């Protein structure tokens, strides 16, 4: 029977990449201690500077807890050609650190749009319409930037890049995911399929059907859940992405609409042998309230609901 390798990320402890979600953070040492104690065996880097950026120091922190580094999130506003060069520089800097501490499996550079930076997309996350999307010319520039980042990271560091479709960015809906994949190099750029962002961005569409649709490009998996009641309230009341986040649209695994048993059956049947990364995006104040109710990392207690055997 195959073993499902499961990691978790700093965002589950309230360390999010958005300025609108910044606040008090717990130290990376405590976060890694709690992550490892809960039974996870991998992590992502989080914001640059949250964990040590010296490779020897970071390797020591990981190895003494028995953890592997799985990836790092790099946002780039690829709609704008002027953002491509700075984006490549940031991606390569990040990938060099990943490559220096990477073991088995090799980590991914997780590329994304500069989510949350475009007012129209942020306001309408979870309910965007085609009119809010990129034009054909903008798609070509966007794909050009994604290809440039992925090809440069591969050439400079030997690491592969996966694109993170994400609400409040220009690659959110199923059709937008498909368009990006159609326009980018399948040898250089894969997809990190995020179950929660897919559920929210597609208004609850079938996760397994999406995994099957995009299976040739799915190189990495993020497990996140989506609360359908909160998503419906966000649509009805016109909440923006950050308001939906504060109301718990990305709930604990098993409390939302994502069919995780079906997703795990798909992973087994297709022979997926990589890591699955659990993420629960929690804002810092929410994370503090939750930590006060438990002695250990109850933000990650979802591991009790996901058997490592599947």
């Amino acid at each position: 029977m195959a073993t499902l390798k499961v990691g978790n990320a700093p965002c589950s402890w309230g360390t999010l990449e958005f300025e609108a979600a910044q606040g008090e953070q717990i130290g990376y040492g405590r976060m890694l201690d709690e992550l490892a104690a809960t039974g996870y065996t991998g992590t992502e880097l989080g914001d640059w500077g949250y964990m040590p950026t010296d490779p020897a120091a970071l390797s020591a922190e990981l190895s003494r807890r028995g953890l592997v580094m799985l990836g790092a999130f790099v946002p780039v506003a690829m709609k704008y050609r002027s953002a491509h060069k700075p984006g490549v520089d940031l991606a390569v800097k990040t990938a060099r650190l990943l490559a220096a501490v990477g073991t088995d499996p090799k980590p991914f550079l997780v590329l994304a749009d500069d989510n949350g930076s475009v007012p129209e997309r942020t306001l309408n996350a979870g309910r965007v319409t085609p009119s809010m999307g990129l034009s054909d010319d903008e798609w070509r520039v966007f794909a050009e930037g994604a290809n440039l980042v992925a090809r440069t990271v591969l050439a400079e560091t030997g690491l592969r890049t996966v694109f993170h479709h994400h609400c409040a960015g220009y690659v959110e809906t199923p059709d937008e995911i498909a368009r990006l994949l159609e326009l980018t190099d399948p040898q250089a750029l894969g997809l990190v399929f995020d179950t929660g962002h897919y559920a929210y961005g597609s208004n609850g569409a079938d996760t397994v059907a999406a995994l099957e649709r995009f299976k040739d490009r799915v190189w990495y998996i993020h497990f996140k859940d989506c609360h359908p009641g909160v998503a419906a309230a966000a649509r009805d009341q016109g909440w923006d992405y950050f308001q939906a986040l504060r109301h718990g649209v990305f709930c604990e695994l098993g409390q939302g609409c994502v069919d995780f048993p079906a997703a795990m059956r798909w992973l087994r049947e297709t022979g997926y042998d990589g890591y699955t990364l659990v993420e629960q995006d929690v804002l810092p104040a929410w994370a503090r309230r939750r930590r006060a109710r438990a002695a250990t990392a109850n933000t990650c207690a979802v591991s009790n609901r996901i058997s490592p055997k599947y």
Side-chain angles (χ1 to χ4, degrees):
M1 184 176 291
T3 299
L4 178 64
K5 299 184 287 290
V6 185
N8 209 313
C11 64
S12 296
W13 279 260
T15 301
L16 301 180
E17 69 272 10
F18 300 106
E19 287 187 12
Q22 292 302 308
E24 181 184 346
Q25 298 176 344
I26 67 170
Y28 75 86
R30 176 178 170 182
M31 186 278 294
L32 291 175
D33 286 343
E34 292 181 355
L35 184 150
T38 309
Y40 296 104
T41 57
T43 188
E44 287 191 3
L45 186 65
D47 293 342
W48 183 266
Y50 176 63
M51 293 190 201
T53 56
D54 174 73
L58 182 56
S59 290
E61 295 288 351
L62 296 171
S63 63
R64 73 184 184 88
R65 296 175 174 90
L67 299 173
V68 298
M69 180 57 68
L70 301 175
F73 186 92
V74 174
V76 180
M78 284 166 290
K79 174 182 175 180
Y80 306 104
R81 188 171 277 112
S82 61
H84 292 182
K85 176 60 166 60
V88 167
D89 292 344
L90 176 60
V92 169
K93 179 181 75 170
T94 305
R96 288 192 192 284
L97 177 60
L98 295 178
V101 303
T103 53
D104 184 29
K106 286 185 176 182
F108 291 106
L109 191 286
V110 180
L111 178 65
D113 191 11
D114 190 12
N115 307 302
S117 65
V118 179
E120 183 181 46
R121 298 292 298 212
T122 303
L123 177 61
N124 292 284
R127 54 188 182 277
V128 299
T129 63
S131 66
M132 301 173 190
L134 299 170
S135 69
D136 288 345
D137 287 342
E138 288 169 338
W139 267 117
R140 282 189 283 273
V141 173
F142 195 103
E144 175 188 310
N147 278 331
L148 181 62
V149 170
R151 289 166 175 164
T152 307
V153 165
L154 183 62
E156 295 288 333
T157 70
L159 297 185
R160 297 193 296 171
T161 296
V162 287
F163 191 89
H164 192 325
H165 60 97
H166 199 291
C167 296
Y170 277 115
V171 184
E172 174 177 327
T173 69
D175 286 346
E176 288 170 340
I177 297 170
R179 186 72 184 274
L180 177 75
L181 296 180
E182 175 189 342
L183 292 172
T184 51
D185 183 353
Q187 302 304 313
L189 187 72
L191 184 71
V192 50
F193 187 85
D194 187 299
T195 58
H197 280 283
Y198 186 81
Y200 191 30
S202 68
N203 196 12
D206 185 276
T207 298
V208 172
L211 284 166
E212 184 65 23
R213 178 182 182 182
F214 302 125
K215 67 180 180 181
D216 292 340
R217 301 288 286 277
V218 174
W219 296 351
Y220 187 31
I221 303 284
H222 281 181
F223 267 4
K224 189 195 303 291
D225 212 344
C226 177
H227 195 292
V230 177
R235 289 191 295 272
D236 293 342
Q237 300 185 40
W239 294 341
D240 71 13
Y241 177 73
F242 297 107
Q243 288 172 299
L245 196 63
R246 292 186 183 94
H247 282 87
V249 69
F250 296 130
C251 55
E252 289 187 6
L253 271 65
Q255 294 185 3
C257 64
V258 176
D259 188 343
F260 290 104
M264 288 189 287
R265 285 194 296 272
W266 184 89
L267 295 177
R268 180 188 64 240
E269 291 166 2
T270 56
Y272 180 83
D273 62 355
Y275 260 84
T276 295
L277 187 90
V278 173
E279 287 189 320
Q280 185 184 343
D281 291 353
V282 292
L283 294 169
W286 184 16
R288 290 196 299 274
R289 288 196 297 271
R290 298 186 64 179
R291 288 198 301 272
R293 293 197 297 264
T296 56
N298 68 339
T299 54
C300 300
V302 293
S303 62
N304 294 326
R305 302 190 187 105
I306 301 180
S307 171
K309 299 293 183 181
Y310 71 106

